[in-house]
């Protein structure tokens, strides 16, 4: 059959057309912003590679997660558990400026939303300011490390590590933790943090929290005293409340039993071995005579010293605490051991020899649950400083406020409102 001439021309034109490949079609349409499915996959892969190459530039800074919950309230160290503290108010934060660049930090530990190097970008000299300040302070106040280690314990033990121990008053007018019978005149170091906070504010206004100021100072104090040095975790925020009643309920007397202390430390997440190591904080510092006077002069109303105490030790203590009638906290201080400025195992060696100032400490050696750890610490000069540093870091991460919870106080003695 003979085809019409117009049809033959049309077929000839079609035979000269080259059918483009799928890749050619993608290249053609991509130029106009259209993408087929496999083209989108290639673009996504390219974008992922670009993001990986950029590193962490677009990530949120560790420890600053929005609405990160605070841990449940647990009774603090050295005391009997009480009611949970009043709920913390959540501060509404303004949006970050357009040119804000979150800190790039190397996280070597992440407990409670905290991170190493938290202030590397926002206040890079923060840790150095703390270290330099403490080094200068120790020249005139060699007891400062012991005071700051105790201050950190007493802060973290009552509701968490949130600088509630530094507040002078709260809006409700209730007595604050400073007014507790377990703090009061015996509390040392809280007033010194004021000077440190002023220096931090001059460097980086309203950036470094008072809670981190306590933790950083205690960490540096521990290292200076002989604990294994480690870079501190940062990112804590400050509490809005402080109640003396909670401190009264959660800080124990020097006569606490092992059962009482074990229950407390268990609620804090520590077993009995860890409890014994943390009680080794008594390796540094001193105690007022009235905290152990009855063991020296009138143990359990016997008119005799505690029979556990060696007689030469009793005589030494009577020379140091010569007047049992001295008003509370106005009598002399006595060193816990012969090396009051060194965080070493001398404290445990004394426990083995029954030379413990506090009744709570003296019971550790002979109890089968705690005695093995006491002897292990006493026999190994290098083990205690290492274990204490590890557990002290864990202690100072207890029940912290992070993210949008709490606030960063301008001054440590009062809230911002």
């Amino acid at each position: 059959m003979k085809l019409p001439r117009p049809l033959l021309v049309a077929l000839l034109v079609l035979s000269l057309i080259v059918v483009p490949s799928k890749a050619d079609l993608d290249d053609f349409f991509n130029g106009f912003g259209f993408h087929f499915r496999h083209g989108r996959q290639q673009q996504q892969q390219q974008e992922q590679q670009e993001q990986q190459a950029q590193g962490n530039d677009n990530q949120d800074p560790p420890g600053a997660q929005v609405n990160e919950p605070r841990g449940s309230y647990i009774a603090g160290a050295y005391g009997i558990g009480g009611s949970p503290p009043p709920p913390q108010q959540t501060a509404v934060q303004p949006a970050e400026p357009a040119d804000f660049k979150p800190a790039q930090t190397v996280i070597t530990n992440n407990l409670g939303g905290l991170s190493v190097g938290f202030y590397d970008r926002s206040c890079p000299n923060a840790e150095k300011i703390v270290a330099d300040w403490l080094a200068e302070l120790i020249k005139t106040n060699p007891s400062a490390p012991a005071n700051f280690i105790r201050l950190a314990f007493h802060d973290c033990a009552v509701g968490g590590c949130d600088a509630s121990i530094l507040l002078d008053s709260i809006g409700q007018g209730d007595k604050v933790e400073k007014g507790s019978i377990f703090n009061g005149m015996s509390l040392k170091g809280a007033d010194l943090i004021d000077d440190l906070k002023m220096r931090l504010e001059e460097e980086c206004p309203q950036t470094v929290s008072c809670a981190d100021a306590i933790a950083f100072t205690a960490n540096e104090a521990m290292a200076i005293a002989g604990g294994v040095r480690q870079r501190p975790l940062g990112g804590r925020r400050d509490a809005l409340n402080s109640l003396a009643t909670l401190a009264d309920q959660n800080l124990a007397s020097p006569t606490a039993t092992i059962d009482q202390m074990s229950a407390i430390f268990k609620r804090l997440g520590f077993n009995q071995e860890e409890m014994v190591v943390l009680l080794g904080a008594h390796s540094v510092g001193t105690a007022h005579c009235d905290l152990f006077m009855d063991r020296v002069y009138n143990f359990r109303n016997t008119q005799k010293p505690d029979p556990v105490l060696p007689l030469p030790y009793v005589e030494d203590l009577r020379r140091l605490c010569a007047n049992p009638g001295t008003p509370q906290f106005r009598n002399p201080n006595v060193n816990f051991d012969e090396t009051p400025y060194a965080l070493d195992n001398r404290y445990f060696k004394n426990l083995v020899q029954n030379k413990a100032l506090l009744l709570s400490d003296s019971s550790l050696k002979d109890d089968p649950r705690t005695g093995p750890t006491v002897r292990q610490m006493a026999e190994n000069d290098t083990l205690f400083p290492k274990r204490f540093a590890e557990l002290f870091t864990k202690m100072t991460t207890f029940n912290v406020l992070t993210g949008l919870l709490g606030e960063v106080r301008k001054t440590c003695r009062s809230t911002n409102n």
Side-chain angles (χ1 to χ4, degrees):
M1 181 180 67
K2 186 176 181 180
L3 296 175
R5 185 178 179 84
L7 182 58
L8 287 173
V9 173
L11 291 173
L12 179 60
V13 171
L14 289 173
S15 68
L16 296 176
I17 296 176
V18 178
V19 178
S21 67
K22 190 171 184 180
D24 292 333
L25 288 173
D26 284 345
D27 291 339
F28 175 79
F29 285 104
N30 286 349
F32 295 93
F34 299 102
H35 305 282
F36 289 103
R37 181 175 182 179
H38 86 284
R40 287 197 300 271
Q41 292 174 345
Q42 290 177 344
Q43 183 185 27
Q44 291 171 354
Q45 292 175 356
Q46 183 178 359
E47 291 175 351
Q48 292 175 355
Q49 293 173 354
E50 292 175 353
Q51 291 176 357
Q52 293 175 355
Q54 293 174 355
N56 297 327
D57 287 345
N58 294 321
Q59 295 179 0
D60 290 331
Q65 294 86 356
V66 175
N67 294 329
E68 179 177 350
R70 183 179 187 176
S72 60
Y73 177 79
I74 305 176
Y78 310 130
I80 306 303
S83 304
Q88 300 287 336
Q89 300 176 6
T90 300
V92 179
Q93 298 281 32
E96 299 287 1
D99 60 349
F100 171 74
K101 292 183 179 180
Q104 297 181 13
T105 60
V106 178
I107 304 176
T108 59
N109 202 337
N110 191 5
L111 297 170
L114 307 179
S115 62
V116 169
F118 185 85
Y119 297 105
D120 281 357
R121 291 284 296 273
S122 60
C123 191
N125 290 326
E127 294 174 31
K128 184 177 185 301
I129 290 172
V130 172
D132 291 347
W133 171 79
L134 185 56
E136 187 67 24
L137 178 64
I138 290 175
K139 293 178 182 178
T140 56
N141 185 358
S143 298
N147 294 335
F148 289 127
I149 290 172
R150 180 173 182 265
L151 180 67
F153 268 116
H154 279 230
D155 181 41
C156 297
V158 183
C161 308
D162 55 12
S164 55
I165 199 169
L166 298 181
L167 288 173
D168 280 344
S169 63
I170 54 177
Q172 296 92 325
D174 296 330
K175 282 175 52 175
V176 294
E177 290 174 34
K178 284 182 179 179
S180 166
I181 58 175
F182 295 105
N183 290 318
M185 294 179 64
S186 68
L187 185 67
K188 302 291 192 302
D191 56 333
L192 298 175
I193 295 292
D194 291 336
D195 180 54
L196 173 60
K197 177 63 172 176
M198 182 178 65
R199 299 187 186 200
L200 291 169
E201 286 295 305
E202 290 175 353
E203 179 78 10
C204 312
Q206 210 166 349
T207 301
V208 181
S209 68
C210 298
D212 275 347
I214 293 177
F216 283 21
T217 303
N219 180 76
E220 182 66 17
M222 177 196 63
I224 290 174
V228 176
R229 179 175 291 278
Q230 52 195 348
R231 199 173 176 198
L233 295 163
R236 300 166 189 79
R237 289 169 66 84
D238 300 326
L240 305 176
N241 295 301
S242 178
L243 292 173
T245 52
L246 294 180
D248 293 342
Q249 295 165 356
N250 291 280
L251 294 170
S253 73
T255 60
T257 66
I258 288 181
D259 286 339
Q260 289 174 328
M261 292 187 293
S262 297
I264 293 160
F265 276 89
K266 183 178 180 180
R267 290 193 294 268
L268 286 166
F270 296 108
N271 59 36
Q272 288 176 327
E273 181 268 342
E274 294 170 328
M275 175 188 76
V276 173
V277 174
L278 286 172
L279 288 173
H282 288 164
S283 171
V284 291
T286 63
H288 282 275
C289 289
D290 56 85
L291 296 180
F292 56 88
M293 192 81 76
D294 59 336
R295 299 189 68 210
V296 178
Y297 288 98
N298 185 24
F299 183 64
R300 294 178 179 171
N301 294 320
T302 62
Q303 302 301 315
K304 297 179 181 180
D306 186 343
V308 172
L309 297 175
L311 184 57
Y313 188 53
V314 171
E315 293 174 349
D316 289 340
L317 294 178
R318 284 183 173 179
R319 280 193 294 269
L320 295 170
C321 305
N323 185 0
T326 303
Q328 189 177 30
F329 299 127
R330 295 186 183 278
N331 45 47
N333 289 340
V334 177
N335 297 333
F336 277 111
D337 62 30
E338 297 85 347
T339 56
Y341 307 135
L343 191 67
D344 57 19
N345 69 338
R346 182 71 255 176
Y347 161 81
F348 293 101
K349 292 179 178 180
N350 282 2
L351 292 187
V352 172
Q353 299 171 16
N354 289 323
K355 296 195 301 182
L357 290 183
L358 306 183
L359 186 62
S360 57
D361 289 344
S362 70
S363 60
L364 296 173
K365 178 185 73 94
D366 294 324
D367 192 290
R369 298 167 295 178
T370 55
T373 303
V374 170
R375 289 185 288 274
Q376 182 187 37
M377 294 296 129
E379 293 167 0
N380 190 326
D381 292 345
T382 61
L383 180 59
F384 168 66
K386 179 178 181 296
R387 285 292 289 140
F388 185 86
E390 295 168 351
L391 295 174
F392 191 71
T393 294
K394 181 179 177 181
M395 171 65 78
T396 55
T397 64
F398 170 64
N399 208 22
V400 295
L401 296 168
T402 58
L404 298 182
L405 298 175
E407 64 182 8
V408 175
R409 297 182 206 147
K410 297 177 184 177
T411 62
C412 292
R413 290 179 176 268
S414 62
T415 61
N416 293 335
N417 296 326

